[in-house]
Amino acid sequence: KSIDYCGNLANIRYNRSMNPWESEYRNPQFITLSTEPINAVREFVKWLRRKQKVDMTDFVVFDAGCGNGKHSKYLVENFCESGIGYDISQTAIRQANELKGDLQIEYFVKSIGAPFDIDNESVDLVIDATSSHALKVQERGKFLSEISRVLKPGGYMFLRTLALDGDANAKNLIKQFPGTEPNTYVLPGTDMTERVFSKSDLESDYAENFTIVNIEKTTGYQKWGNQSYKRNYWIVYLQKK
């Protein structure tokens, strides 16, 4: 229930003296520290290889908001040549470096809402698995321009993000704990802001430089404290024009 959802959130407290994402990786309340990729990423790879007939052997993948690196690790270990990952949490990057072993992946403590230290058109694949929804409007603008800059023409992007459409919990959070920007909320007891998106939001954001090859709304579960709550997500496959 939405009331229980927000009530439980209000009981969660963080050490505000540090980056809230650093606090989260040290003491997880919301994220799942699984070392296996989410199923949606696996399905995306199947689509690329089987439906699009894409040879990923020489691919360089950029993992945006990589967390513990589970998605870039999966891709480089099984399909791609190398990877790059950015995350704002030092603890997350430490975990990612431990997880990758000898794989050819470089991880950096860096915001995805700031300029990337990556060459123009040097990346074949971008993975944004529920990361850029935490950016502010100005940061998001930079993120969109940077992924367009570093991705090769014809390159692909996987996006999983929070959906506004049909999500009662998201609408309740916006009402009870509104952020300073449209369709955002501040998670109670934290400095974390999340944004939820309508389908038209995503179509507008990516229209200039990307073709949306596939977009669908799915249902999943998000952990909050010791409970999981039903959430709606957008799964989007994009290709750079």
Coordinates of all heavy atoms in Angstrom, one line a residue, residues 40-123:
A40 N 16.4 -7.7 -17.4 CA 16.1 -6.8 -18.5 C 17.4 -6.6 -19.4 O 17.3 -6.4 -20.6 CB 15.6 -5.5 -18.1
V41 N 18.5 -6.6 -18.7 CA 19.8 -6.4 -19.5 C 20.1 -7.7 -20.2 O 20.5 -7.6 -21.4 CB 21.0 -6.0 -18.5 CG1 22.3 -6.1 -19.2 CG2 20.8 -4.6 -18.0
R42 N 19.9 -8.8 -19.7 CA 20.1 -10.1 -20.4 C 19.2 -10.1 -21.6 O 19.6 -10.6 -22.7 CB 19.8 -11.3 -19.5 CG 20.7 -11.4 -18.3 CD 20.3 -12.7 -17.5 NE 21.1 -12.8 -16.3 CZ 22.2 -13.5 -16.2 NH1 22.7 -14.1 -17.3 NH2 22.9 -13.7 -15.1
E43 N 17.9 -9.7 -21.5 CA 17.0 -9.8 -22.6 C 17.4 -8.8 -23.7 O 17.3 -9.0 -24.9 CB 15.6 -9.4 -22.1 CG 15.0 -10.5 -21.2 CD 14.9 -11.9 -22.0 OE1 14.5 -11.9 -23.1 OE2 15.2 -12.9 -21.4
F44 N 18.0 -7.6 -23.3 CA 18.5 -6.7 -24.2 C 19.6 -7.2 -25.1 O 19.7 -7.1 -26.3 CB 18.9 -5.4 -23.5 CG 19.6 -4.4 -24.4 CD1 18.9 -3.7 -25.3 CD2 21.0 -4.1 -24.2 CE1 19.6 -2.7 -26.1 CE2 21.6 -3.2 -25.0 CZ 20.9 -2.5 -26.0
V45 N 20.5 -7.9 -24.4 CA 21.7 -8.5 -25.1 C 21.2 -9.6 -26.1 O 21.6 -9.7 -27.2 CB 22.7 -9.1 -24.1 CG1 23.7 -9.9 -24.8 CG2 23.3 -8.0 -23.3
K46 N 20.2 -10.4 -25.7 CA 19.6 -11.4 -26.6 C 19.0 -10.7 -27.8 O 19.2 -11.2 -28.9 CB 18.5 -12.2 -25.9 CG 19.0 -13.2 -24.8 CD 17.9 -13.9 -24.2 CE 18.4 -14.9 -23.1 NZ 17.2 -15.6 -22.4
W47 N 18.3 -9.6 -27.6 CA 17.7 -8.9 -28.7 C 18.8 -8.3 -29.6 O 18.6 -8.5 -30.9 CB 16.9 -7.7 -28.1 CG 16.3 -6.8 -29.1 CD1 15.2 -7.0 -29.9 CD2 16.9 -5.5 -29.5 NE1 15.0 -5.9 -30.7 CE2 16.0 -5.0 -30.5 CE3 18.0 -4.8 -29.1 CZ2 16.3 -3.8 -31.1 CZ3 18.2 -3.6 -29.7 CH2 17.4 -3.1 -30.7
L48 N 19.8 -7.8 -29.1 CA 20.9 -7.3 -29.9 C 21.5 -8.4 -30.8 O 21.7 -8.2 -32.0 CB 22.0 -6.7 -29.0 CG 22.0 -5.2 -28.7 CD1 23.2 -4.8 -27.8 CD2 21.9 -4.3 -29.9
R49 N 21.8 -9.5 -30.2 CA 22.5 -10.5 -30.9 C 21.6 -11.4 -31.8 O 22.1 -11.7 -32.9 CB 23.2 -11.5 -29.9 CG 24.2 -10.7 -29.0 CD 24.8 -11.6 -27.9 NE 25.7 -12.6 -28.5 CZ 25.7 -13.9 -28.3 NH1 24.7 -14.4 -27.5 NH2 26.5 -14.7 -28.9
R50 N 20.4 -11.6 -31.4 CA 19.6 -12.5 -32.2 C 18.7 -11.8 -33.1 O 18.5 -12.2 -34.3 CB 18.7 -13.4 -31.2 CG 19.6 -14.3 -30.3 CD 18.7 -15.1 -29.3 NE 19.5 -15.9 -28.4 CZ 19.1 -16.6 -27.5 NH1 17.7 -16.7 -27.3 NH2 19.9 -17.3 -26.7
K51 N 18.1 -10.7 -32.7 CA 17.1 -10.0 -33.5 C 17.9 -9.0 -34.4 O 17.6 -8.8 -35.6 CB 16.1 -9.2 -32.7 CG 15.2 -10.1 -31.8 CD 14.3 -11.0 -32.7 CE 13.4 -11.8 -31.8 NZ 12.5 -12.6 -32.6
Q52 N 18.8 -8.2 -33.9 CA 19.6 -7.2 -34.6 C 20.8 -7.8 -35.3 O 21.4 -7.1 -36.1 CB 20.0 -6.1 -33.7 CG 18.8 -5.3 -33.0 CD 17.9 -4.7 -34.0 OE1 16.8 -5.2 -34.3 NE2 18.3 -3.6 -34.6
K53 N 21.2 -9.0 -35.0 CA 22.4 -9.7 -35.5 C 23.6 -8.9 -35.3 O 24.5 -8.7 -36.2 CB 22.2 -9.9 -37.0 CG 20.9 -10.7 -37.4 CD 20.9 -12.1 -36.7 CE 19.6 -12.8 -37.2 NZ 19.5 -14.2 -36.5
V54 N 23.8 -8.3 -34.1 CA 24.9 -7.5 -33.8 C 26.1 -8.3 -33.3 O 25.9 -9.1 -32.3 CB 24.5 -6.4 -32.8 CG1 25.8 -5.6 -32.3 CG2 23.5 -5.4 -33.4
D55 N 27.2 -8.1 -33.8 CA 28.4 -8.8 -33.3 C 29.1 -7.8 -32.3 O 29.5 -6.8 -32.6 CB 29.4 -9.0 -34.4 CG 30.7 -9.7 -34.0 OD1 30.8 -10.0 -32.8 OD2 31.6 -10.0 -34.8
M56 N 29.0 -8.2 -31.0 CA 29.5 -7.4 -29.9 C 30.9 -7.6 -29.5 O 31.4 -7.0 -28.5 CB 28.6 -7.6 -28.7 CG 27.1 -7.4 -28.9 SD 26.1 -7.9 -27.5 CE 26.6 -6.8 -26.2
T57 N 31.6 -8.4 -30.3 CA 33.0 -8.9 -29.9 C 33.9 -7.7 -29.6 O 34.7 -7.8 -28.6 CB 33.6 -9.8 -31.0 OG1 32.7 -10.8 -31.3 CG2 34.9 -10.3 -30.6
D58 N 33.9 -6.7 -30.4 CA 34.8 -5.6 -30.3 C 34.2 -4.4 -29.6 O 34.7 -3.3 -29.6 CB 35.3 -5.1 -31.7 CG 36.1 -6.2 -32.4 OD1 36.8 -6.9 -31.7 OD2 36.0 -6.3 -33.6
F59 N 33.1 -4.6 -28.9 CA 32.3 -3.5 -28.3 C 33.1 -2.9 -27.1 O 33.6 -3.7 -26.3 CB 30.9 -3.9 -27.9 CG 29.9 -3.7 -28.9 CD1 30.2 -3.7 -30.2 CD2 28.5 -3.6 -28.5 CE1 29.2 -3.4 -31.2 CE2 27.5 -3.4 -29.4 CZ 27.8 -3.3 -30.8
V60 N 33.0 -1.6 -26.9 CA 33.3 -0.9 -25.7 C 32.0 -0.5 -25.1 O 31.2 0.2 -25.7 CB 34.2 0.3 -26.0 CG1 34.5 1.1 -24.7 CG2 35.5 -0.1 -26.6
V61 N 31.8 -0.9 -23.8 CA 30.5 -0.5 -23.2 C 30.8 0.5 -22.1 O 31.8 0.5 -21.4 CB 29.9 -1.8 -22.5 CG1 30.8 -2.5 -21.6 CG2 28.6 -1.4 -21.8
F62 N 29.9 1.5 -22.0 CA 29.9 2.5 -20.9 C 28.8 2.2 -20.0 O 27.6 2.2 -20.4 CB 29.8 3.9 -21.5 CG 29.7 5.0 -20.4 CD1 30.7 5.1 -19.5 CD2 28.6 5.8 -20.3 CE1 30.6 6.1 -18.5 CE2 28.5 6.7 -19.3 CZ 29.5 6.9 -18.4
D63 N 29.1 2.0 -18.7 CA 28.1 1.6 -17.7 C 27.9 2.9 -16.8 O 28.7 3.3 -16.0 CB 28.7 0.5 -16.8 CG 27.7 -0.1 -15.9 OD1 26.6 0.4 -15.8 OD2 28.0 -1.2 -15.3
A64 N 26.8 3.6 -17.1 CA 26.5 4.8 -16.4 C 25.9 4.6 -15.0 O 24.8 4.0 -14.9 CB 25.5 5.7 -17.3
G65 N 26.5 5.1 -14.0 CA 26.0 4.9 -12.7 C 26.2 3.4 -12.4 O 25.2 2.7 -12.0
C66 N 27.4 2.9 -12.5 CA 27.7 1.4 -12.6 C 27.4 0.7 -11.3 O 27.3 -0.5 -11.3 CB 29.1 1.2 -13.1 SG 30.4 1.9 -12.0
G67 N 27.4 1.4 -10.2 CA 27.2 0.7 -8.9 C 28.4 -0.3 -8.7 O 29.6 0.0 -8.9
N68 N 28.1 -1.6 -8.4 CA 29.1 -2.5 -8.1 C 29.6 -3.2 -9.4 O 30.4 -4.1 -9.4 CB 28.6 -3.6 -7.1 CG 27.5 -4.5 -7.7 OD1 27.1 -4.3 -8.8 ND2 27.0 -5.4 -6.9
G69 N 29.2 -2.7 -10.6 CA 29.8 -3.1 -11.8 C 29.2 -4.4 -12.4 O 29.7 -5.0 -13.3
K70 N 28.1 -4.9 -11.9 CA 27.5 -6.2 -12.3 C 27.2 -6.2 -13.8 O 27.3 -7.3 -14.4 CB 26.4 -6.6 -11.4 CG 25.1 -5.6 -11.5 CD 24.1 -6.1 -10.5 CE 22.9 -5.1 -10.6 NZ 21.9 -5.5 -9.5
H71 N 26.7 -5.1 -14.3 CA 26.3 -5.1 -15.7 C 27.5 -5.1 -16.7 O 27.5 -5.8 -17.7 CB 25.3 -4.0 -16.0 CG 24.0 -4.2 -15.3 ND1 23.6 -3.3 -14.3 CD2 23.1 -5.2 -15.3 CE1 22.4 -3.7 -13.8 NE2 22.1 -4.8 -14.4
S72 N 28.4 -4.2 -16.4 CA 29.6 -4.1 -17.3 C 30.4 -5.4 -17.1 O 31.0 -5.9 -18.1 CB 30.5 -2.9 -17.0 OG 30.5 -2.7 -15.6
K73 N 30.5 -6.0 -16.0 CA 31.2 -7.2 -15.8 C 30.5 -8.3 -16.6 O 31.2 -9.1 -17.3 CB 31.2 -7.6 -14.3 CG 32.0 -8.8 -13.9 CD 31.2 -10.0 -13.5 CE 32.1 -11.1 -13.0 NZ 31.3 -12.3 -12.7
Y74 N 29.2 -8.4 -16.6 CA 28.5 -9.4 -17.3 C 28.8 -9.3 -18.8 O 29.0 -10.2 -19.6 CB 27.0 -9.3 -17.1 CG 26.1 -10.0 -18.0 CD1 26.0 -11.4 -18.0 CD2 25.3 -9.3 -18.9 CE1 25.2 -12.1 -18.9 CE2 24.5 -9.9 -19.8 CZ 24.4 -11.3 -19.8 OH 23.6 -12.0 -20.7
L75 N 28.8 -8.0 -19.3 CA 28.9 -7.8 -20.7 C 30.3 -8.1 -21.2 O 30.5 -8.7 -22.2 CB 28.5 -6.3 -21.0 CG 27.0 -6.1 -21.0 CD1 26.8 -4.6 -20.9 CD2 26.3 -6.6 -22.2
V76 N 31.3 -7.6 -20.5 CA 32.7 -7.8 -20.9 C 33.1 -9.3 -20.7 O 33.9 -9.8 -21.5 CB 33.7 -6.9 -20.1 CG1 35.1 -7.1 -20.5 CG2 33.3 -5.4 -20.5
E77 N 32.6 -9.9 -19.7 CA 33.0 -11.3 -19.4 C 32.5 -12.2 -20.5 O 33.1 -13.2 -20.8 CB 32.4 -11.7 -18.1 CG 32.8 -13.1 -17.6 CD 32.4 -13.4 -16.2 OE1 31.2 -13.1 -15.8 OE2 33.2 -13.8 -15.4
N78 N 31.3 -11.8 -21.1 CA 30.7 -12.8 -22.0 C 30.6 -12.3 -23.5 O 30.5 -13.1 -24.4 CB 29.2 -13.0 -21.6 CG 29.2 -13.7 -20.2 OD1 29.4 -14.9 -20.1 ND2 28.8 -13.0 -19.2
F79 N 30.7 -11.0 -23.7 CA 30.4 -10.5 -25.1 C 31.3 -9.4 -25.6 O 31.8 -9.5 -26.7 CB 28.9 -10.0 -25.2 CG 27.9 -10.9 -24.7 CD1 27.3 -10.7 -23.4 CD2 27.5 -12.0 -25.4 CE1 26.4 -11.6 -22.9 CE2 26.6 -12.9 -24.9 CZ 26.0 -12.7 -23.7
C80 N 31.6 -8.4 -24.8 CA 32.3 -7.2 -25.2 C 33.8 -7.3 -25.0 O 34.3 -8.1 -24.1 CB 31.7 -6.0 -24.5 SG 29.9 -5.8 -24.8
E81 N 34.5 -6.4 -25.6 CA 36.0 -6.3 -25.5 C 36.4 -5.6 -24.2 O 37.3 -6.1 -23.5 CB 36.6 -5.6 -26.7 CG 38.1 -5.6 -26.6 CD 38.8 -4.9 -27.8 OE1 38.1 -4.3 -28.6 OE2 40.0 -5.0 -27.9
S82 N 35.8 -4.5 -23.9 CA 36.2 -3.7 -22.7 C 35.1 -2.8 -22.2 O 34.0 -2.7 -22.9 CB 37.4 -2.8 -23.1 OG 37.1 -1.9 -24.1
G83 N 35.3 -2.2 -21.1 CA 34.2 -1.4 -20.5 C 34.8 -0.2 -19.7 O 35.9 -0.2 -19.3
I84 N 33.9 0.8 -19.5 CA 34.2 1.9 -18.6 C 32.9 2.1 -17.7 O 31.8 2.0 -18.2 CB 34.4 3.2 -19.5 CG1 35.5 3.0 -20.5 CG2 34.6 4.4 -18.6 CD1 35.5 4.1 -21.6
G85 N 33.2 2.4 -16.5 CA 32.1 2.6 -15.6 C 32.3 3.8 -14.7 O 33.4 4.1 -14.2
Y86 N 31.2 4.6 -14.5 CA 31.3 5.8 -13.6 C 30.2 5.6 -12.5 O 29.1 5.1 -12.7 CB 30.8 7.1 -14.4 CG 31.9 7.7 -15.3 CD1 33.1 7.1 -15.5 CD2 31.6 8.9 -16.0 CE1 34.0 7.7 -16.4 CE2 32.5 9.5 -16.8 CZ 33.7 8.9 -17.0 OH 34.6 9.5 -17.9
D87 N 30.6 5.9 -11.3 CA 29.7 6.0 -10.2 C 30.2 7.0 -9.2 O 31.4 7.2 -9.0 CB 29.5 4.6 -9.5 CG 28.2 4.6 -8.7 OD1 28.2 5.1 -7.6 OD2 27.2 4.0 -9.2
I88 N 29.3 7.7 -8.5 CA 29.6 8.8 -7.6 C 30.1 8.2 -6.2 O 30.7 9.0 -5.5 CB 28.4 9.7 -7.4 CG1 28.9 11.1 -6.9 CG2 27.3 9.1 -6.6 CD1 27.8 12.1 -7.0
S89 N 29.8 6.9 -6.0 CA 30.2 6.4 -4.7 C 31.6 5.7 -4.8 O 31.8 4.8 -5.6 CB 29.1 5.3 -4.3 OG 29.6 4.5 -3.2
Q90 N 32.5 6.0 -3.9 CA 33.8 5.4 -3.8 C 33.6 3.9 -3.4 O 34.3 3.0 -3.9 CB 34.6 6.1 -2.8 CG 35.1 7.5 -3.2 CD 36.0 8.1 -2.2 OE1 36.2 7.6 -1.1 NE2 36.5 9.3 -2.5
T91 N 32.7 3.6 -2.5 CA 32.5 2.2 -2.1 C 32.0 1.4 -3.2 O 32.4 0.2 -3.4 CB 31.5 2.2 -0.9 OG1 32.0 2.9 0.2 CG2 31.2 0.8 -0.5
A92 N 31.1 1.9 -4.1 CA 30.6 1.2 -5.2 C 31.7 0.9 -6.2 O 31.8 -0.2 -6.7 CB 29.5 2.0 -5.9
I93 N 32.6 1.9 -6.4 CA 33.7 1.7 -7.3 C 34.7 0.6 -6.8 O 35.2 -0.2 -7.5 CB 34.4 3.0 -7.7 CG1 33.5 3.9 -8.5 CG2 35.7 2.8 -8.4 CD1 33.0 3.3 -9.8
R94 N 34.9 0.7 -5.5 CA 35.8 -0.4 -4.9 C 35.2 -1.7 -5.1 O 35.9 -2.7 -5.5 CB 35.9 -0.1 -3.4 CG 36.7 -1.2 -2.6 CD 36.9 -0.9 -1.2 NE 35.6 -0.7 -0.5 CZ 34.8 -1.7 -0.2 NH1 35.1 -3.0 -0.5 NH2 33.7 -1.5 0.5
Q95 N 33.9 -1.9 -4.9 CA 33.2 -3.2 -5.1 C 33.3 -3.6 -6.6 O 33.5 -4.8 -6.9 CB 31.7 -3.0 -4.7 CG 31.5 -2.8 -3.2 CD 30.1 -2.5 -2.8 OE1 29.3 -2.3 -3.7 NE2 29.8 -2.5 -1.5
A96 N 33.1 -2.6 -7.5 CA 33.2 -2.9 -8.9 C 34.6 -3.4 -9.3 O 34.7 -4.4 -10.1 CB 32.8 -1.7 -9.7
N97 N 35.6 -2.8 -8.8 CA 37.0 -3.3 -9.1 C 37.3 -4.6 -8.5 O 38.0 -5.4 -9.1 CB 38.0 -2.2 -8.5 CG 38.2 -1.1 -9.4 OD1 38.3 -1.2 -10.6 ND2 38.1 0.1 -8.9
E98 N 36.7 -5.0 -7.3 CA 36.9 -6.3 -6.8 C 36.1 -7.3 -7.6 O 36.6 -8.4 -7.8 CB 36.3 -6.3 -5.3 CG 37.2 -5.5 -4.4 CD 36.5 -5.4 -3.0 OE1 35.4 -5.8 -2.8 OE2 37.2 -4.8 -2.1
L99 N 34.9 -7.0 -8.1 CA 34.1 -7.9 -8.9 C 34.7 -8.2 -10.2 O 34.6 -9.3 -10.7 CB 32.7 -7.3 -9.0 CG 31.7 -8.2 -9.7 CD1 31.4 -9.5 -8.9 CD2 30.4 -7.5 -9.9
K100 N 35.3 -7.2 -10.9 CA 35.7 -7.4 -12.3 C 36.9 -8.4 -12.4 O 37.1 -9.0 -13.5 CB 36.1 -6.1 -12.9 CG 37.5 -5.6 -12.4 CD 37.9 -4.3 -13.2 CE 39.3 -3.9 -12.8 NZ 39.8 -2.7 -13.6
G101 N 37.7 -8.6 -11.4 CA 38.8 -9.5 -11.5 C 39.8 -8.9 -12.6 O 40.2 -7.8 -12.5
D102 N 40.2 -9.8 -13.6 CA 41.1 -9.4 -14.6 C 40.5 -8.8 -15.8 O 41.2 -8.6 -16.9 CB 42.0 -10.6 -14.9 CG 42.9 -11.0 -13.8 OD1 43.3 -10.2 -12.9 OD2 43.2 -12.3 -13.7
L103 N 39.2 -8.6 -15.8 CA 38.5 -8.1 -17.0 C 39.0 -6.7 -17.4 O 39.4 -5.9 -16.5 CB 37.0 -8.1 -16.8 CG 36.3 -9.5 -16.6 CD1 34.9 -9.3 -16.2 CD2 36.5 -10.3 -17.8
Q104 N 38.9 -6.4 -18.6 CA 39.4 -5.1 -19.1 C 38.3 -4.0 -19.0 O 37.6 -3.6 -19.9 CB 39.8 -5.2 -20.6 CG 40.6 -4.0 -21.1 CD 41.1 -4.3 -22.6 OE1 41.2 -5.4 -23.0 NE2 41.3 -3.2 -23.3
I105 N 38.1 -3.6 -17.7 CA 37.1 -2.6 -17.4 C 37.8 -1.6 -16.5 O 38.5 -1.9 -15.5 CB 35.9 -3.2 -16.7 CG1 35.3 -4.4 -17.4 CG2 34.8 -2.1 -16.5 CD1 34.3 -5.1 -16.6
E106 N 37.6 -0.3 -16.8 CA 38.1 0.8 -15.9 C 36.9 1.5 -15.3 O 35.9 1.9 -15.9 CB 38.8 1.8 -16.8 CG 40.2 1.3 -17.3 CD 40.9 2.4 -18.0 OE1 40.5 2.9 -19.1 OE2 42.0 2.8 -17.5
Y107 N 37.0 1.6 -13.9 CA 36.0 2.2 -13.2 C 36.5 3.5 -12.5 O 37.7 3.6 -12.1 CB 35.5 1.3 -12.0 CG 34.7 0.1 -12.6 CD1 35.3 -1.2 -12.4 CD2 33.5 0.2 -13.2 CE1 34.6 -2.3 -12.9 CE2 32.8 -0.9 -13.6 CZ 33.3 -2.1 -13.5 OH 32.6 -3.2 -14.0
F108 N 35.6 4.5 -12.5 CA 36.0 5.9 -12.0 C 35.0 6.4 -11.0 O 33.8 6.2 -11.3 CB 36.2 6.8 -13.1 CG 37.2 6.4 -14.1 CD1 36.9 5.7 -15.2 CD2 38.6 6.8 -14.0 CE1 37.8 5.3 -16.2 CE2 39.5 6.4 -14.9 CZ 39.1 5.6 -16.0
V109 N 35.4 7.1 -10.0 CA 34.5 7.8 -9.1 C 34.2 9.1 -9.7 O 35.0 10.0 -9.7 CB 35.1 8.0 -7.7 CG1 34.2 8.8 -6.8 CG2 35.6 6.7 -7.0
K110 N 33.0 9.2 -10.4 CA 32.7 10.3 -11.2 C 31.2 10.4 -11.4 O 30.5 9.3 -11.6 CB 33.4 10.2 -12.5 CG 33.3 11.5 -13.4 CD 34.3 11.4 -14.6 CE 34.1 12.6 -15.5 NZ 34.5 13.8 -14.8
S111 N 30.6 11.6 -11.4 CA 29.2 11.8 -11.7 C 28.9 11.6 -13.2 O 29.7 12.1 -14.0 CB 28.8 13.2 -11.2 OG 27.5 13.4 -11.6
I112 N 27.8 11.0 -13.5 CA 27.3 10.9 -14.9 C 26.6 12.2 -15.3 O 26.2 12.3 -16.5 CB 26.4 9.7 -15.1 CG1 25.2 9.8 -14.2 CG2 27.2 8.4 -14.8 CD1 24.1 8.7 -14.6
G113 N 26.5 13.1 -14.4 CA 25.9 14.4 -14.7 C 26.9 15.5 -15.0 O 26.6 16.7 -15.0
A114 N 28.2 15.1 -15.2 CA 29.3 16.0 -15.4 C 30.0 15.6 -16.7 O 29.7 14.4 -17.2 CB 30.3 16.0 -14.3
P115 N 30.8 16.4 -17.3 CA 31.5 16.0 -18.6 C 32.3 14.7 -18.4 O 32.9 14.4 -17.4 CB 32.4 17.1 -18.9 CG 31.8 18.3 -18.2 CD 31.1 17.8 -17.0
F116 N 32.2 13.8 -19.4 CA 32.9 12.5 -19.4 C 34.3 12.7 -19.9 O 34.6 13.5 -20.8 CB 32.2 11.5 -20.3 CG 30.7 11.2 -20.0 CD1 30.0 10.4 -20.9 CD2 30.2 11.6 -18.8 CE1 28.7 10.1 -20.6 CE2 28.8 11.3 -18.5 CZ 28.1 10.5 -19.4
D117 N 35.2 11.9 -19.3 CA 36.6 11.9 -19.8 C 36.7 10.7 -20.8 O 37.5 9.8 -20.6 CB 37.6 11.7 -18.6 CG 37.6 12.9 -17.7 OD1 37.5 14.0 -18.2 OD2 37.6 12.7 -16.5
I118 N 35.9 10.7 -21.8 CA 35.8 9.7 -22.8 C 35.9 10.3 -24.2 O 35.2 11.4 -24.4 CB 34.5 8.8 -22.7 CG1 34.5 8.2 -21.3 CG2 34.4 7.7 -23.7 CD1 33.2 7.5 -21.0
D119 N 36.6 9.8 -25.1 CA 36.7 10.3 -26.5 C 35.4 10.3 -27.2 O 34.5 9.5 -27.0 CB 37.8 9.6 -27.3 CG 39.2 9.8 -26.7 OD1 39.4 10.8 -26.0 OD2 40.0 8.9 -27.0
N120 N 35.3 11.2 -28.2 CA 34.1 11.3 -29.1 C 34.0 10.0 -29.8 O 35.0 9.4 -30.3 CB 34.3 12.4 -30.1 CG 34.3 13.8 -29.5 OD1 33.9 14.0 -28.3 ND2 34.6 14.8 -30.2
E121 N 32.7 9.5 -29.9 CA 32.4 8.3 -30.7 C 33.3 7.1 -30.5 O 33.8 6.5 -31.4 CB 32.3 8.7 -32.2 CG 31.3 9.8 -32.5 CD 31.2 10.2 -33.9 OE1 32.0 9.6 -34.8 OE2 30.3 11.0 -34.3
S122 N 33.6 6.9 -29.2 CA 34.5 5.8 -28.9 C 33.8 4.6 -28.2 O 34.4 3.6 -27.8 CB 35.6 6.3 -28.0 OG 35.1 6.8 -26.8
V123 N 32.5 4.8 -27.9 CA 31.7 3.8 -27.2 C 30.7 3.1 -28.1 O 30.1 3.8 -28.9 CB 31.1 4.4 -26.0 CG1 30.0 3.5 -25.3 CG2 32.1 4.9 -24.9

